[in-house]
């Protein structure tokens, strides 16, 4: 089975270590996949091979979808953002230290067990949703969930949430079919007056896979929260939208107390592993962080 | 076919080409300035410009280059302001990360200048731009300075001043050739097949299919036939050489190994169970995890060696006093159990060797901290005449203690070369480097410390159990004796062996662990005694050098105002102090050769090596200073075992060995030159050759001199001057004297008078919401005598602090609990400090106290890293009221403490 390659920043590492082999089909150079264009309904469409740095710097995205631009500008490193693409970001494979080690096969590499679950899963999920307990790596996946974006492939259009599924399939990191080409990401029309924030909890200052990451977008109208989108990464085998947090925000005045109460709902449904209990308070703290910042922005 | 413009030249590259650009540039085009370190986009060492934009070439597919332009470090103008600034500021140590930084910083500079003119960027702006680069040596302070100065226009013109580091220009331009860059005609590539089991008896190893694999040229067995057992995952079994890495890996995959698995103990707790799986079933041939020589020690249990308790004194009294205090609930009794994590050296140049075994002899290029020692060992192992073995290391991309021995990649390269009749390179990849190439052992340290009511130190106990993998010899608790001479001490060191990769010496072996536990206990005692922690150390620690450092530290505003920090709110600030003590060592069997060449140039030579610590510069500076000529008038020859025997680069001994020997050689050369002038009354003095008619200044005398060569060994220290300095192993009585003799006899390591010392303050800010611990500032008082090269000493100290921050806050080798396999096998999982994690570092060098040493100074690489984690831990306690008993102090630990209510 051949594998598509856009920027190659994920695939090249897997090929160097030998966990991915086989032929490669390059799509990164296709000009029709590198574009940011307005759609008829007032939204925007981003070609799948658009580099993340281009996305982060794009004026239309920065003003209309600040949570997406902030996420794209904060993930990975400057060098990776210059060649890694939005499509590759959504469809990249997870970073589990068992999966990425060529000597430790697992569910994701054709094996039949998950050595992390019974082993060392210090940086794994706090929402145990399925057989694989590696956090989904896609920062943009979370941001696009918060924007209720859609994904366009050469076969269909589907909500971004369906790209990731519900975490019950432990054998893959996304649900596109083999050979299905992602061509674009489609954003609904921007909402005027939106404010957003992105944050990742890490040990160093920069360039570290998040322990927990969160993105929040808020629209405040007449002193109450009129729209909210909150999504998180680093905690579940899929990027996770947090409807309970959003519901707690809607219709209420954006006060510190509200943000604290809403952030606490981020832990709803959390089921940490023996070594990941810390991720639950960290998740609540990170969500609070982005809510406060979006509230201030 | 890929068509690409590289550094201004059009290339049409026919396939098949390597997958990624870094391999195409390095292996196909010989552009070895671009470095491969992590291979995973994390470190930035491989950064090149693609159409003017910095990208990581290790993840950039070769075919993606088609139709584009690439600029590598070789294509950056050596007179670019950034290149000049890196040289002028000495913004590098080993230099292995430097090309990547230079490429990115040059692009940042050009963009900055276009937008902001000569405004000076803030540290934060530089850090954000360079966030995709790591430097293991920790040259970040100098990199900040260099980039800011270049942007501010300070390097638009060339500078005349001699740069702090003599080889900087070579490293900044990518010209410097490291072992990884060596490419000999006909060179083969070797790989190592490793054990898949933590513990197994190895039966038949069938290499027939491997030998038939296309491209394979040699297969050799590495596993000792006399001891056919593997004791950790990753233990070397077989090495395979082939025409390229691909073929060698295919060969390795074709080897069939018959394992008979044995029960394994892959953690300290498993190894210490009542009826454990023994790591050694037969005779225990354990490698040494320390720098010294192993003292014969009994085994207390199948996997537990120790105690080494010779450094105790009135141990029974100590135990009795502590037990009584515990019984009585004495509030002045401080007890605690501390855990440190295994820290991996992570030198950016991996362990690598290129061996060429011919009829004339054996030549080995190796990334090593010990060319002379490795040559000696090779001659012994293969029964070759010493002259027939030559070990070369022109530039070494970091070592930190992991490259002191004749390690398996060297043996593999040598044996493969012998078998294949061709040169062979064996280079560990990052996974191997982070898994099996050495680490600072993790340990559990139990401390008891009892202050008397009058505030004196009554008793001290420390038990250290170090998990050294399949190695022994860690010294942790014993070190506690040398700093606080309590009247009663109960100190015990144990090694627990496990079926995990062996520990190795790492910058001040044992020291940072001792400090972490002991200095926190002292801090706690100060709290209980309601005494200022610096004042308490002044009372308990008699060392005259550290006494001065305490005075300095106590006067710092950061210390005097520490009471102002509140313990409420989200962000907590705190200030902590810690002290450390280390040895002054030098090596006794070394020689320096010094020559004046026709025309007056000087040449100094010794079989030492420069792994980034600056030995090359120290030699050049010392000679230049003696003759009053610029350093670039001195040619330095090092990194070649054929030169007069030089010291290893370890144990902080290099400078203390080389400088006195070089000064003596300079005196001899001066005398020879003076005599050869035949001027009436000629005699050498500081200014030149003094004679009846006046003075012939040294630069002129050199020009007039005939070619002359002298050699010198290091003279002894001045006994009279040294009388006031502390005796080696003082407070250890006859045992100490014995220890000195033992070290000298077994390792040619001489322990001199006087201890080096350091006293550090750390400021921290703890985010109680997200668990992030930041170190905004560190104040570092260091006493190592006179500095042979002040800028390099500062750079070394900065790097040591930054590595210490990694140890304190980020670094932890993680294993799979069932197989003992290392999981932190890439740089994204093994986290070392980045440029943005660099504090403001204030250095204070106390330069007195080593007047008895010729040159006046000793080594600092180790003492400078020891108290960092301890000072940070004490600061975290000051900030939060919660004592960190475990390293690293990561966000998970902080948020858990908050969630438990321990931090309120
Ligand atoms: C050091 C480092 C840190 C990082 N940190 C982060 C982070 O914090 N957050 C984060 O989200 N990511 C992070 N990443 C991952 C990075 O964002 C991804 O590697 C990158 O986005 C992948 O994009 P690419 O174009 O290079 O994908 P590629 O490597 O080309 O492809 C990745 C996968 O997607 C598939 N694919 C790509 N494009 C298409 C398409 N159009 N149609 C169908 N399939 C396709 C490929 O087949 C492949 O399986 C980090 C990476 C590195 C190296
Ligand atoms: S967590 Fe997922 S990726 Fe990691 S070992 Fe388990 S199945 Fe594999
Ligand atoms: S080698 Fe490419 S980023 Fe480390
Ligand atoms: S100088 Fe940066 S890694 Fe050595």
């Amino acid at each position: 089975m051949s594998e598509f390659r856009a920027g190659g920043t994920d695939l090249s590492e897997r090929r160097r270590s030998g966990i991915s082999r086989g032929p490669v089909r390059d799509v990164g150079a296709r000009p029709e996949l590198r574009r940011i264009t307005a759609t008829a309904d007032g939204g925007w469409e981003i070609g799948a091979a658009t580099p993340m740095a281009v996305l982060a710097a794009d004026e239309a995205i920065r003003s209309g979808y600040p949570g997406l631009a902030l996420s794209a500008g904060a993930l990975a490193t400057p060098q990776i953002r210059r060649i890694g693409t939005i499509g590759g970001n959504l469809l990249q494979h997870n970073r589990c230290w068992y999966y990425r080690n060529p000597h430790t096969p697992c569910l994701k590499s054709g094996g039949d067990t998950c050595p992390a679950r019974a082993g060392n899963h210090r940086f794994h999920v706090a929402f145990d949703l399925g057989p694989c307990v590696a956090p989904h790596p896609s920062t943009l996946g979370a941001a696009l969930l918060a924007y209720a974006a859609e994904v366009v492939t050469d076969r269909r259009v589907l909500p971004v949430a369906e790209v990731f599924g519900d975490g019950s399939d432990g054998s893959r990191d996304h649900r596109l079919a083999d050979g299905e080409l992602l061509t674009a990401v489609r954003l609904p029309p921007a909402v005027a007056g939106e404010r957003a924030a992105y944050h990742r909890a890490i040990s160093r200052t920069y360039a570290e896979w998040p322990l927990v990451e969160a993105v929040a977008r808020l629209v405040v109208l007449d002193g109450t929260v009129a729209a909210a989108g909150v999504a998180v990464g680093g905690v579940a085998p899929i990027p996770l939208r947090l409807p309970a947090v959003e519901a707690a925000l809607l219709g209420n005045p954006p006060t510190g107390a509200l943000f604290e109460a809403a952030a606490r709902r981020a832990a709803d449904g959390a089921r940490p592993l023996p070594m990941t209990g810390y991720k639950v308070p960290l998740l609540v703290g990170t969500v609070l962080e982005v809510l406060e910042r979006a509230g201030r922005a | 076919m890929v068509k690409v413009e590289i550094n201004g030249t059009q290339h049409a590259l026919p396939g098949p080409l390597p997958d990624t650009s870094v391999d195409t540039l390095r292996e196909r085009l010989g552009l070895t300035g671009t470095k491969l370190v992590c291979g995973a986009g994390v470190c930035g060492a491989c950064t090149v410009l693609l159409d003017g934009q910095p990208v990581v070439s290790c993840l950039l597919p070769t075919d993606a280059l088609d139709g584009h332009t690439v600029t590598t470090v070789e294509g950056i103008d050596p007179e670019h302001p950034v290149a000049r600034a890196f040289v002028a500021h000495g913004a590098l140590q080993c230099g292995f990360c430097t090309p990547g930084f230079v490429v990115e910083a040059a692009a940042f500079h050009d963009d900055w200048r276009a937008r902001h003119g000569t405004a000076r960027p803030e540290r934060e702006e530089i850090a954000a731009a360079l966030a995709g680069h790591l430097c293991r040596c920790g040259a970040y302070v100098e990199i900040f300075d260099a980039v800011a100065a270049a942007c501010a226009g300070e390097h638009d013109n060339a500078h005349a001043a001699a740069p702090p580091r003599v080889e900087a220009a070579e490293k900044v331009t990518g010209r410097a050739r490291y072992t990884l860059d060596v490419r000999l005609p006909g060179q083969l590539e070797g790989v190592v097949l490793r054990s898949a089991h933590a513990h197994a008896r190895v039966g038949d190893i069938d290499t027939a299919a491997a030998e038939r694999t296309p491209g394979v040229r040699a297969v050799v067995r590495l596993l000792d036939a006399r001891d056919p057992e593997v004791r950790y995952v990753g233990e070397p079994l077989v090495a395979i050489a082939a025409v390229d890495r691909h073929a060698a890996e295919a060969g390795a995959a074709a080897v069939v190994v018959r394992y008979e698995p044995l029960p394994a103990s892959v953690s300290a707790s498993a190894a210490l169970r009542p009826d454990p799986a023994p790591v050694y079933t037969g005779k225990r041939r354990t490698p040494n995890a320390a720098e010294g020589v192993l003292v014969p020690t009994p085994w207390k249990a199948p996997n537990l060696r120790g105690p080494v308790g010779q450094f105790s004194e009135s141990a029974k009294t100590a135990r009795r006093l502590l037990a009584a205090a515990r019984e009585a609930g004495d509030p002045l009794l401080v007890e605690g159990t501390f855990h440190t994590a295994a820290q991996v050296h992570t030198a950016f140049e991996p362990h690598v060797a290129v061996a060429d075994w011919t009829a004339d002899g054996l030549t080995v290029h190796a990334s090593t901290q010990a060319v002379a020692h490795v040559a000696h060992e090779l001659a012994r192992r293969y029964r070759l005449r010493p002259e027939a073995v030559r070990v070369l290391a022109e530039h070494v991309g970091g070592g930190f203690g992991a490259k002191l021995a004749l390690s398996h990649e060297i043996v593999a390269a040598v044996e493969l070369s012998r078998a294949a009749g061709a040169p062979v390179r064996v280079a560990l990849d990052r996974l191997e480097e982070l898994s099996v190439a050495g680490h600072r052992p993790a340990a559990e340290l139990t401390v008891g410390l009892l202050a008397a009511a009058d505030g004196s130190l009554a008793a001290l106990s420390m038990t250290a159990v170090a998990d050294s993998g399949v190695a022994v010899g860690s010294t942790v608790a014993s070190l506690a004796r040398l700093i606080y001479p309590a009247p009663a001490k109960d100190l015990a060191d144990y090694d627990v062996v496990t079926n995990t990769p062996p520990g190795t010496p790492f910058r001040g072996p044992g020291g940072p662990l001792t400090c972490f536990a002991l200095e926190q206990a002292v801090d706690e005692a100060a709290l209980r005694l309601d005494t200022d922690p610096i004042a308490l150390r002044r009372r308990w620690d008699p060392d005259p050098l550290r006494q001065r450092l305490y005075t300095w530290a106590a006067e710092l505003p950061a210390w005097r105002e520490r009471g102002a920090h509140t313990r409420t709110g989200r962000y907590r600030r705190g200030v902590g102090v810690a002290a450390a003590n280390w040895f002054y060592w030098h090596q006794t069997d070394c020689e320096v050769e010094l020559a004046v060449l026709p025309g007056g140039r000087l040449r100094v030579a010794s079989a030492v090596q420069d792994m980034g610590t600056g030995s090359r510069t120290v030699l050049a500076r010392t000679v230049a200073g003696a003759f009053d000529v610029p350093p670039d008038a001195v040619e330095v020859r090092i990194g070649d075992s054929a030169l007069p025997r030089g010291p290893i680069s370890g144990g902080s001994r290099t400078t203390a060995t080389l400088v006195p020997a070089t000064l003596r050689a300079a005196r001899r050369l001066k005398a020879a030159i003076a005599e050869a002038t035949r001027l009436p009354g000629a005699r050498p003095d500081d200014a030149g050759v003094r004679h009846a008619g006046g003075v012939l200044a040294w630069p002129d005398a050199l020009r007039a001199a005939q070619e002359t060569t002298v050699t010198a060994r290091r003279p002894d220290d001045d006994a009279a001057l040294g009388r006031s300095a502390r005796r080696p192993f003082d407070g250890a009585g006859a045992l100490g004297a014995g220890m000195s003799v033992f070290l000298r006899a077994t390792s040619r390591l001489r322990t001199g008078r006087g201890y080096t010392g350091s006293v550090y303050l750390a400021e921290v800010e703890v985010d109680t919401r997200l668990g992030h611990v930041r170190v905004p500032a560190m104040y570092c008082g260091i006493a190592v005598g006179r500095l042979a090269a002040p800028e390099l000493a500062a750079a070394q100290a900065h790097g040591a602090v930054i590595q210490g921050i990694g140890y304190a806050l980020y670094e932890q080798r993680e294993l799979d609990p069932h197989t003992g396999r290392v999981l932190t096998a890439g740089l994204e999982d093994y986290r070392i400090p980045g440029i943005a994690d660099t504090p403001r570092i204030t250095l204070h060098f106390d330069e007195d106290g080593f007047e008895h040493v010729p040159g006046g100074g000793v080594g600092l690489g180790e003492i400078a890293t020891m108290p960092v984690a301890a000072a940070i831990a004490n600061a975290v306690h000051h900030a939060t009221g919660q004592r960190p008993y475990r390293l690293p102090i990561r966000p998970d630990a902080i948020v858990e403490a908050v969630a438990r209510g321990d931090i309120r």
Side-chain angles (χ1 to χ4, degrees), chain B residues 631-677:
Chain B
D632 62 6
V634 183
E635 180 192 333
V636 182
R637 291 179 55 194
I638 60 170
D640 179 351
S641 66
L643 299 170
R645 183 163 186 129
I648 65 167
S649 302
S652 295
R653 76 182 73 174
T654 328
T655 302
T657 303
L658 284 180
V659 170
T662 308
L663 289 171
R664 188 188 225 179
R667 279 196 302 280
R668 287 191 178 157
L669 186 61
K670 285 177 172 181
I673 292 172
E675 194 183 319
T677 59

Side-chain angles (χ1 to χ4, degrees), chain A residues 79, chain B residues 22 35-47 56-59 132 827:
Chain A
Q79 298 105 302
Chain B
V22 68
K35 298 295 185 238
L36 177 66
V37 175
C38 70
V42 188
C43 73
C46 63
T47 300
V56 284
S57 62
C58 69
L59 299 182
L827 270 180

